[in-house]
Structure formats: structure tokens, C-alpha cells
Amino acid sequence: PTSGIASAGGEVKVIQLEERKRAVLDFLADEERTEPEIRKEVGGNERITAQAIRELVTDGRLIRKGGGKKNDPYRYHKRAAA
């Protein structure tokens, strides 16, 4: 059986993730930034911020460029509004 505690914890994580997505989108505005720059500015739990970035890419709200390597890091920017 599912306990109310586990459900509440799951809901809190979803809320935190959605808040972090909004923070990432607000921070990027019309600029292109690397993930470390985003994580530093947005703050909080870096794992949640990284998950938010990846979900935003999957959802098509962020565009990822670059090779993800030392001299070619991933860079993210918001998809232009249609």
C-alpha cells in the first residue's frame, strides 16, 4: 500500500522541479548559457536543476547546442516562441 508520506514527498519533488524549471527559463531570458552557469545562478539542489534542464530540453522548451565536452560544453537557450 502507498503511504501518504511517500505521496507527499513525491508531490514536493514535483513542485520543486516545476519551480526549478521556471527559474531556469527566467534566468536564460534570451541568452545562451552553459549548465554550470545555470546551476550556479539558479542555486538550490543541483540534481533537481540538472533534471529540470533535461526535462525542458525533452519538452522542447530549451535547445541544447554543443558537444558536451571540455572545450565544447553544452549550451542552452530558450526555444523561440511560435
Side-chain angles (χ1 to χ4, degrees):
T2 310
S3 72
I5 295 171
S7 177
E11 290 175 21
V12 168
K13 185 174 180 180
V14 169
I15 291 168
Q16 289 174 334
L17 184 59
E18 290 304 314
E19 288 174 351
R20 200 61 51 89
K21 286 179 182 180
R22 281 192 297 276
V24 168
L25 292 170
D26 289 346
F27 170 65
L28 286 175
D30 293 325
E31 299 182 35
E32 185 175 278
R33 301 291 184 118
T34 64
E35 186 170 325
E37 290 172 328
I38 296 168
R39 287 194 320 251
K40 180 179 178 185
E41 181 64 28
V42 171
N45 183 308
E46 290 188 2
R47 180 175 285 165
I48 294 174
T49 302
Q51 182 180 355
I53 291 168
R54 278 148 192 67
E55 287 190 17
L56 287 166
V57 170
T58 300
D59 294 346
R61 296 169 68 190
L62 288 184
I63 304 292
R64 181 175 74 187
K65 295 181 179 179
K69 299 179 180 160
K70 185 175 182 179
N71 293 319
D72 186 21
Y74 288 135
R75 295 175 309 283
Y76 299 88
H77 66 90
K78 291 189 337 187
R79 179 176 297 281

